[in-house]
Amino acid sequence: MSESVLPVLYSFRRCPYAMRARLALHASGVAHEHREVVLKHKPAHMLALSPKGTVPVLWLRSPAGDQVLEQSLDIMRWALREHDPLGWLPDSEAPMQEALALIAHNDGPFKQQLDRYKYPNRSGLDSGAADRDAAALWLHTLDGQLRAQPFLAGGHFGLADAAVAPFVRQYAHTDPAWFAAQPWPALAKWLEDFEASALFAAIMHKHTPWQER
């Protein structure tokens, strides 16, 4: 693939949605151009591609016509369908549906609770404790899964792990001492291993903000 038609990823380093897109792109080995976004000054080109104004955005350039992927899960699945050397995509329908159900809960109820826990004032709350505790119920179920198998995807790190880990990380970092005191050793070890991995280090490299010419 020539440089002139490389896919372009608009990303923001700390955004968990962008993190999981970068995880899949890195795991796939698909060459692409990274454009780091300053959220207060979003590039006009990114907004033209995706008026919703959130990252990640993947711009696929092709002589046959351009395509824009605006959802992180779509970016993950596109990248892994292009090349999946680590076997992140489930190899049959049943485990794929299980992974998608897990991701749907993460992106729906858990993300809503996480946002209210982390930023209670934005929701008119004095405290995020009730949402913290509600979200913890699901994290206990994840801990149960991880006691029974090494990863959410089963025997090795896969799509479900990459899609969920950045959000569990955000939850854990909201109050690290409280998180560390909870009775979910398998979940804590899974997260610790993720954060200590070469994969995580690779996708958290600091990029200079991209400047439009």
Side-chain angles (χ1 to χ4, degrees):
M1 185 178 294
S2 68
E3 186 173 351
S4 62
V5 295
L6 282 179
V8 172
L9 178 73
Y10 285 99
S11 180
F12 176 64
R13 184 174 179 269
R14 296 195 306 274
C15 171
Y17 292 106
M19 282 184 198
R20 70 185 185 188
R22 297 197 307 271
L23 286 166
L25 283 164
H26 184 80
S28 74
V30 172
H32 63 283
E33 177 187 342
H34 181 112
R35 294 182 179 178
E36 186 70 13
V37 172
V38 177
L39 296 182
K40 291 182 179 180
H41 305 286
K42 296 169 185 173
H45 181 257
M46 186 191 89
L47 294 173
L49 291 174
S50 178
K52 67 184 179 65
T54 60
V55 293
V57 174
L58 187 67
W59 176 32
L60 301 173
R61 297 182 283 182
S62 165
D66 292 359
Q67 182 182 2
V68 177
L69 300 181
E70 303 178 272
Q71 301 298 327
S72 58
L73 185 56
D74 291 340
I75 295 172
M76 295 182 80
R77 296 179 75 175
W78 175 85
L80 296 171
R81 285 168 178 158
E82 288 289 304
H83 194 219
D84 187 16
L86 303 179
W88 279 19
L89 285 177
D91 57 6
S92 61
E93 185 61 22
M96 175 60 84
Q97 291 307 313
E98 290 174 9
L100 293 178
L102 200 65
I103 296 167
H105 187 94
N106 177 87
D107 292 5
F110 180 71
K111 181 60 165 64
Q112 293 165 9
Q113 292 156 351
L114 170 59
D115 286 346
R116 290 193 293 262
Y117 169 38
K118 188 173 176 65
Y119 309 108
N121 293 341
R122 294 181 183 178
S123 300
L125 302 172
D126 293 329
S127 166
D131 286 285
R132 177 199 67 192
D133 295 345
L137 297 176
W138 185 60
L139 295 183
H140 279 293
T141 69
L142 295 188
D143 182 71
Q145 287 184 242
L146 293 166
R147 288 171 189 252
Q149 59 190 33
F151 299 96
L152 297 177
H156 67 275
F157 193 95
L159 177 69
D161 301 274
V164 170
F167 297 85
V168 177
R169 176 181 179 270
Q170 192 175 69
Y171 179 99
H173 283 242
T174 301
D175 187 342
W178 183 90
F179 185 87
Q182 302 313 300
W184 41 42
L187 179 71
K189 180 65 165 57
W190 168 83
L191 181 61
E192 178 185 350
D193 289 348
F194 168 68
E195 292 188 300
S197 67
L199 171 66
F200 183 70
I203 67 104
M204 293 302 286
H205 175 76
K206 290 185 177 181
H207 292 265
T208 301
W210 182 72
Q211 299 289 330
E212 289 183 287
R213 296 178 180 84

